[in-house]
Amino acid sequence: MPDHQVNAVPEDFFCEHTSSKSRVMALVSHATGPTSLQAVLTCRDSDLAHRAAQLLRKALTSAPKTWRAVSMEQLCAQLPDAPAASLRQAVTHALARTWPAVAGSLIDWRGLSEDTAQGAGDEADDGGHQEREARTPYDARLRELAGPVVQIVTLREYHVYDPELLVRTAAAQGWAPLPAEELDDDDPNDVVGAVMCLSSRDEVIDGADNVTDQSTGHRLRAEDGDEVADWSPKPVTAEFGAGWRLSTQEAKGRTISTEWGEVPDFAALFAATEHDCDDEECDDCAWRLTPRTADLLHSALCGLADQAYDDAEAFGDEPVTVEDKGDWEFFARLPKLTHGCDLQWRRRMARALDDLTDDLEHGRWPEPTCTAEELALHLALREAPSYLDEVEDNEESLHRKLPVHDDDYDFDTCKDLFFQDADVLMLYSPRFDGIEDPDDDANRRLGIGDLRPAAWFESFDNVEARDPHRGFRR
């Protein structure tokens, strides 16, 4: 080996970002000196540089025989030719666990960090060291991480209505299809790869519509046998539950096809009969949720859910304030103590509306299983009558074709029968400030329980809990 060559072994990969460019660096160890940094590639896109570093880390822990180049080629397709070539070469070295380097070209990272600290002057203190100690080593196992680890799994589905437009759009952004020998017969143009490229940018995709966008998350706990994905002895899976719309088999005879798609057939789901008899115990004579009542309540729940998701997406963690109340569609309607809740809480509130909608779409009375669903149903029952004028003025409305019943639009009885109590409505009154706390004297005297926002999604003891893995519609 020539004298100027150094035997080195890659240990890790990092990114360095500036306002104009990003650089990927390899941390390598070698016999001729301390562990050092070696430049890998430079590009203008910080996200691509970050993904390149992640890919190289994965190559370090992979066997050459099991390595699949698909992810690498998809990333290289988005990089300019020079950094793409450097990335391919770096992956080869990472898989081989060797790193060719020239003596004198390696940067002593220890000296670099010392110089940086000195340049910072008297402002440098233990805070910076503590932050570095708290950061995440790429190869750490779950039990070695001091802070909580949250695993988020996202499910996205796209209907590609114009494959040619989709492929052209992806190609214009630097994407290139896989070699023909790596493609399946049913996808010769690598539509899957094009969608993966475009969907990673979280933008509207020309030629495709997003038909599903759900996510589910939970905290990993080592004591429960959890592990971070790179060390997991079993595949990472997520259960999103059954579709929020009725399945094809369930829908047979229970939905109606319209130009807007399938809608619930409430005449079949809540079939009602009327007859006169003297038996007070007759089930057919008891009050019932009628098709027309169910239809309006369903419309109200769907509308409120869409408003809640819209608010969550538009405002995120921003609090509801007096000044901007008019900008909110849904969350300004909730009690004041919820106005500072975060994005995740708001998404769960939107899902509570979806859960009650799902009850109706399956022919069940909407039964609140938690405080969030109780308040959601109160709001929907208040909103439902406002839909009546709209459907009655529209001669083409499917609502007008539903059977008529004496119990139609009896929302007051709905309020009497659908709830166990009306405690949650006390949160709207300033007279009862503090009553949400289970340690409050009035709360304990009345046996109300925990009405603080953090407890709104805890299932009641006397009902069947919702599937915790059901995911989100949006």
Side-chain angles (χ1 to χ4, degrees):
M1 175 182 296
D3 292 339
H4 65 279
Q5 288 288 327
V6 175
N7 276 324
V9 178
E11 300 287 351
D12 200 354
F13 295 90
F14 301 96
C15 284
E16 174 190 66
H17 304 294
T18 68
S19 59
S20 61
K21 63 182 180 180
S22 294
R23 184 165 60 162
V24 177
M25 308 288 289
L27 183 67
V28 297
S29 59
H30 51 102
T32 60
T35 304
S36 308
L37 289 172
Q38 174 82 44
V40 177
L41 62 87
T42 301
C43 67
R44 295 184 180 277
D45 191 320
S46 60
D47 179 60
L48 294 180
H50 176 69
R51 290 166 58 192
Q54 287 184 313
L55 182 74
L56 288 165
R57 287 174 178 169
K58 191 170 185 64
L60 273 180
T61 60
S62 300
K65 290 184 178 180
T66 61
W67 175 257
R68 297 189 62 188
V70 175
S71 298
M72 180 187 71
E73 290 303 328
Q74 289 175 344
L75 180 55
C76 286
Q78 300 175 60
L79 288 165
D81 291 343
S86 298
L87 178 58
R88 292 188 181 95
Q89 187 177 51
V91 167
T92 300
H93 296 320
L95 289 169
R97 313 295 192 274
T98 62
W99 199 266
V102 178
S105 69
L106 295 164
I107 305 169
D108 185 345
W109 68 273
R110 297 179 304 178
L112 182 64
S113 59
E114 289 171 4
D115 292 341
T116 302
Q118 292 172 2
D122 296 335
E123 295 181 2
D125 56 24
D126 287 342
H129 174 72
Q130 292 172 358
E131 180 181 356
R132 288 193 297 273
E133 289 294 315
R135 296 305 295 272
T136 310
Y138 86 97
D139 59 348
R141 302 186 76 114
L142 180 60
R143 63 176 178 272
E144 297 168 346
L145 299 173
V149 177
V150 178
Q151 183 181 85
I152 305 294
V153 180
T154 298
L155 170 64
R156 290 181 179 173
E157 295 173 329
Y158 294 87
H159 168 226
V160 181
Y161 61 83
D162 192 336
E164 293 183 2
L165 174 59
L166 174 86
V167 170
R168 287 200 307 270
T169 302
Q173 299 191 23
W175 168 84
L178 291 175
E181 59 270 17
E182 295 187 32
L183 293 171
D184 296 330
D185 292 339
D186 65 344
D187 189 16
N189 297 317
D190 198 11
V191 169
V192 172
V195 171
M196 291 179 66
C197 167
L198 295 174
S199 66
S200 66
R201 302 171 187 269
D202 287 328
E203 59 187 23
V204 175
I205 298 178
D206 291 337
D209 290 326
N210 186 334
V211 296
T212 303
D213 195 341
Q214 299 184 30
S215 61
T216 182
H218 70 283
R219 179 175 174 177
L220 299 180
R221 301 182 184 277
E223 60 269 25
D224 295 338
D226 293 337
E227 185 55 274
V228 290
D230 283 349
W231 287 100
S232 178
K234 56 186 179 182
V236 176
T237 61
E239 173 61 56
F240 287 92
W244 71 278
R245 297 181 175 90
L246 291 173
S247 69
T248 302
Q249 289 299 318
E250 289 178 309
K252 186 176 182 181
R254 300 172 68 186
T255 61
I256 300 172
S257 297
T258 72
E259 59 183 301
W260 306 281
E262 300 287 341
V263 298
D265 182 0
F266 289 114
L269 290 164
F270 295 95
T273 59
E274 286 190 82
H275 69 279
D276 295 323
C277 71
D278 296 328
D279 187 355
E280 295 181 356
E281 302 298 325
C282 175
D283 291 337
D284 289 331
C285 291
W287 183 92
R288 63 182 61 249
L289 179 60
T290 69
R292 290 193 169 212
T293 306
D295 183 42
L296 292 191
L297 183 54
H298 179 267
S299 297
L301 286 165
C302 288
L304 292 171
D306 286 339
Q307 291 174 5
Y309 279 116
D310 289 344
D311 275 354
E313 292 171 7
F315 297 101
D317 295 329
E318 293 180 28
V320 180
T321 62
V322 175
E323 294 78 13
D324 64 4
K325 258 191 173 185
D327 297 330
W328 295 74
E329 292 188 279
F330 177 77
F331 288 101
R333 305 186 192 191
L334 302 190
K336 186 177 179 180
L337 82 168
T338 69
H339 288 180
C341 291
D342 61 13
L343 170 62
Q344 185 61 16
W345 189 95
R346 289 167 177 163
R347 283 174 51 76
R348 295 178 75 184
M349 190 70 205
R351 185 174 62 179
L353 288 152
D354 277 345
D355 288 336
L356 295 167
T357 303
D358 184 73
D359 285 340
L360 290 172
E361 292 179 350
H362 284 79
R364 301 188 296 264
W365 283 17
E367 180 182 21
T369 66
C370 61
T371 300
E373 291 181 24
E374 279 191 329
L375 190 56
L377 188 55
H378 275 296
L379 293 175
L381 287 169
R382 186 184 306 167
E383 186 88 355
S386 67
Y387 285 83
L388 186 56
D389 290 340
E390 178 182 336
V391 296
E392 288 191 337
D393 290 341
N394 180 6
E395 294 184 0
E396 301 300 320
S397 169
L398 292 176
H399 182 85
R400 298 182 61 171
K401 300 177 182 179
L402 292 172
V404 177
H405 193 280
D406 287 343
D407 290 332
D408 286 342
Y409 316 129
D410 188 357
F411 294 108
D412 287 337
T413 301
C414 289
K415 295 173 186 177
D416 292 337
L417 297 180
F418 290 170
F419 301 98
Q420 300 185 44
D421 56 57
D423 292 345
V424 69
L425 298 181
M426 299 171 69
L427 299 179
Y428 281 103
S429 174
R431 291 178 50 213
F432 298 111
D433 283 351
I435 202 169
E436 69 277 2
D437 191 331
D439 291 331
D440 178 78
D441 290 341
N443 183 303
R444 286 187 293 180
R445 186 169 62 254
L446 297 173
I448 291 175
D450 195 347
L451 293 181
R452 292 172 294 184
W456 276 29
F457 305 100
E458 295 177 4
S459 183
F460 298 145
D461 293 336
N462 59 347
V463 299
E464 183 178 352
R466 306 282 185 186
D467 179 3
H469 305 296
R470 62 196 180 281
F472 294 84
R473 172 165 62 92
R474 286 171 53 183

